[in-house]
Amino acid sequence: MPKNNIAVIGLSVMGSNLALNIADNGYKVAVYNRTTSVMEEMIEKFPHENVEGKKTLEELVNSLIKPRKFIIMVKAGNAVDAVIEQLLQYVEDGDIIIDGGNSFFKDTQRRYDYLKEKNIHFFGVGISGGEEGARRGPAMMPGGNEEAYKEIQPILEDISAKVNNIPCCSYTSTGGAGHYVKMVHNGIEYGDMQLISEAYTILKHLGGFNNDELQKIFEKWNSEELESYLIEITANIFKVKDVDGDGYLVDKILDKSGQKGTGKWTTEQAVDLGIDISVISSSLNARYMSSFKDERINAEKVFGRKPFEIVNDRENLVKIVKESLFVAKIISYAQGFKLLQAAEKEYGWTFDYANIAKIFRGGCIIQAKLLQNIIEAYTKNPKLENLILDSFFKETIIKNQTSLREVVILAIKNSLPVTSLSNALTYLDIYTTANSGANLIQAQRDYFGAHTFERVDKEGSFHYDWVGNNDK
C-alpha cells in the first residue's frame, strides 16, 4: 500500500537537504535521482527512517498517497520539462507537481498552464536560504492554484523557517507568482550586498579602518536598526584569518563577484514594466564591471589615482555611513516592492505585501529587522504606492538623508565608486521632485517625431509644428 506523503526528485545538495528536512518533520519521503547511484549514496550517507529510495519513477509514483505530491529539485530549464514529461506517464488528475528550483517565472507560468489542461496542479515554489536553509528551514514562496495549495500547505509550512512561531511561507498567487517573488527577493539581495560592499570600501579607504575595527563596527550595527543576516555574516567575515598565509582571508579574495541570472531577470522585468529599480540594477552592473579585473588594473594606471584622503573624524564617518546604508537599504526594498506592484497588475496576480514581507523575515538571505516595519506599513495600508511614503520610512529618510548626501559627495571627491548608494540618492531626489525636466524631453520627442505632448493647463494630447513655426 502507498505510504509516502511526498516525493523529491533530484538529489543534489539542495534536494537531499530538503528531503531530510521534510523527513525530520514527520513526513514519509520517497526520493529518486536519474542516476541511481546518487540516490543510493544519499540513503547510505544520511539514513533516515522516514526516507525511502526508489530506483524508478514508476516505483516512486506507486509509493505515494493520493493526491500524489512531487518536488522537482533539478537544474532550472529543460531538465524540469523533461522530468514533467516523464511524470505525465504515471500521474493522475489532481496530482501535484512542485518545482522548487530557481526557474524563470515565465517558464513556470507556461508549465502551470500546460499542466492545468491535463488536470495536474503545478506549483512554482521559490526557496531561499541555500543549503542550510533547505536542511533546517528555508523561506518559501509558493505560487499556483489556491485551492490545491491546501494539500501541500502543511508540509511547506512545517519545513519552512519560523519567526515567532510564524512560518516563513505564504501563498503568493497563481501561476508563476512564487518564482517571481523569489526573483525580486534575489534582486533586493543584490542591492543589499552591493550597498554593504560600498559601506565597507568607504570605511576602509576613507576611514582607514582595519579588519578588527570593521568587525566591531558591523557587529554593533547588527544590534541596531541595520540588524540583518547579511550584516551579521559580514561581521563574521572580518574575523577570519588566512590559514594559507598572513593577514585576513577577505583581503586575499579577488574582487570579481559572480551572479547566476536572477538579478538580470529582475532588471529585465523592471525595464519591461517601466519601473525604476536603479539600486538593484546598478548592483548588477557593479558585478559585471568587477569581472573586468585586468582592464580595471590597466585603466587605473592610465588615468592615475590619487591617494585616498583619510577623514579626520572617523567616529562621525561611521555614523553617516550607517545612516546612509539604512536609507539606501529602505530605497532598495521600496524599489523591489514597487516592481511587485507592477507585476501584480501586468500578470493578473493578487499579492499580499505584508505576507510577502513575513516570508522574508527568516530562512532567507535578506532577512532583516527592517522587514517588521515593512509588514506594519502594508498592514496599515495594503495599497501603499511606495514604501518610502509610509510614516516610519518617510521620517527615517528625512532624518538621515543628509548623511547619504555627505557620504556620496565624499566618495565622489575621492573617485571611490558608490554606484548603488548614489543611485539610491538619485531615486529619492527624482521621486520627491514634483516638476522635472521631462517637459523638455517631451518637446524634443514632439519636435523630431510628432509624438505629441500633454499640457499642464488643459486636457488632451497636442502636437506643435516646431519647424513650420520656428520663427514665431
Side-chain angles (χ1 to χ4, degrees), residues 206-266:
L206 306 186
F209 290 97
N210 61 36
N211 289 323
D212 285 335
E213 292 170 319
L214 289 168
Q215 191 279 324
K216 291 181 175 63
I217 289 169
F218 276 84
E219 187 173 63
K220 185 173 186 297
W221 285 358
N222 196 48
S223 67
E224 300 169 338
E225 62 267 28
L226 284 172
E227 178 187 336
S228 68
Y229 172 76
L230 283 170
I231 294 291
E232 177 186 359
I233 69 169
T234 301
N236 292 338
I237 285 168
F238 289 125
K239 295 178 183 178
V240 179
K241 300 287 183 67
D242 181 16
V243 295
D244 296 322
D246 297 330
Y248 290 82
L249 180 57
V250 67
D251 297 324
K252 305 294 177 64
I253 297 174
L254 187 66
D255 58 327
K256 290 173 66 174
S257 52
Q259 54 93 23
K260 290 188 175 181
T262 46
K264 175 174 173 284
W265 292 344
T266 312

Side-chain angles (χ1 to χ4, degrees), residues 39-56:
M39 177 273 292
E40 292 173 336
E41 183 180 343
M42 178 213 162
I43 296 296
E44 181 180 354
K45 189 174 181 181
F46 304 105
H48 198 297
E49 62 181 1
N50 288 338
V51 178
E52 186 175 69
K54 298 296 179 183
K55 294 184 178 180
T56 69

Side-chain angles (χ1 to χ4, degrees), residues 148-428:
Y149 177 64
K150 296 174 183 176
E151 290 286 345
I152 59 174
Q153 182 176 0
I155 297 177
L156 298 188
E157 290 188 353
D158 284 347
I159 68 173
S160 69
K162 310 291 187 302
V163 174
N164 299 326
N165 293 319
I166 298 173
C168 295
C169 173
S170 182
Y171 175 76
T172 56
S173 194
T174 59
H179 277 141
Y180 198 100
V181 172
K182 174 58 163 56
M183 178 192 74
V184 173
H185 163 283
N186 284 23
I188 295 171
E189 177 186 314
Y190 273 55
D192 230 349
M193 294 174 72
Q194 180 63 28
L195 290 169
I196 292 171
S197 171
E198 292 174 12
Y200 153 66
T201 56
I202 292 167
L203 293 174
K204 177 182 178 180
H205 295 304
L206 306 186
F209 290 97
N210 61 36
N211 289 323
D212 285 335
E213 292 170 319
L214 289 168
Q215 191 279 324
K216 291 181 175 63
I217 289 169
F218 276 84
E219 187 173 63
K220 185 173 186 297
W221 285 358
N222 196 48
S223 67
E224 300 169 338
E225 62 267 28
L226 284 172
E227 178 187 336
S228 68
Y229 172 76
L230 283 170
I231 294 291
E232 177 186 359
I233 69 169
T234 301
N236 292 338
I237 285 168
F238 289 125
K239 295 178 183 178
V240 179
K241 300 287 183 67
D242 181 16
V243 295
D244 296 322
D246 297 330
Y248 290 82
L249 180 57
V250 67
D251 297 324
K252 305 294 177 64
I253 297 174
L254 187 66
D255 58 327
K256 290 173 66 174
S257 52
Q259 54 93 23
K260 290 188 175 181
T262 46
K264 175 174 173 284
W265 292 344
T266 312
T267 296
E268 288 174 340
Q269 268 296 289
V271 171
D272 288 346
L273 301 184
I275 299 298
D276 182 341
I277 59 163
S278 48
V279 175
I280 295 169
S281 298
S282 62
S283 300
L284 175 67
N285 288 333
R287 294 196 187 192
Y288 289 151
M289 289 297 289
S290 76
S291 68
F292 297 104
K293 178 65 174 179
D294 293 339
E295 292 183 40
R296 289 189 289 114
I297 291 172
N298 180 61
E300 182 174 304
K301 292 176 182 176
V302 171
F303 283 87
R305 173 175 285 280
K306 295 179 181 179
F308 295 117
E309 295 182 12
I310 303 297
V311 300
N312 294 322
D313 192 343
R314 297 167 84 227
E315 183 177 341
N316 182 63
L317 181 66
V318 173
K319 173 181 177 293
I320 63 174
V321 169
K322 181 186 78 168
E323 291 171 352
S324 298
L325 182 55
F326 194 39
V327 170
K329 185 184 178 79
I330 291 169
I331 291 170
S332 181
Y333 274 85
Q335 291 180 353
F337 276 86
K338 191 71 175 172
L339 180 57
L340 286 175
Q341 289 176 328
E344 180 181 24
K345 295 177 183 177
E346 178 72 14
Y347 303 114
W349 293 328
T350 303
F351 284 145
D352 184 324
Y353 298 105
N355 277 344
I356 289 173
K358 287 177 183 177
I359 296 173
F360 296 160
R361 286 191 304 172
C364 69
I365 308 305
I366 66 170
Q367 56 184 285
K369 182 179 181 179
L370 173 69
L371 286 159
Q372 185 57 42
N373 302 111
I374 296 177
I375 293 167
E376 292 169 3
Y378 283 118
T379 299
K380 284 188 299 182
N381 183 4
K383 302 297 183 182
L384 183 66
E385 288 184 329
N386 192 310
L387 266 177
I388 69 172
L389 299 177
D390 171 73
S391 58
F392 171 81
F393 294 118
K394 178 193 70 176
E395 291 166 9
T396 299
I397 290 170
I398 290 172
K399 177 183 175 184
N400 297 321
Q401 65 170 313
T402 300
S403 293
L404 179 57
R405 297 183 192 282
E406 289 181 27
V407 165
V408 170
I409 291 169
L410 182 63
I412 290 172
K413 284 182 176 179
N414 280 274
S415 303
L416 185 65
V418 287
T419 175
S420 292
L421 284 170
S422 58
N423 270 284
L425 179 58
T426 300
Y427 178 88
L428 175 64

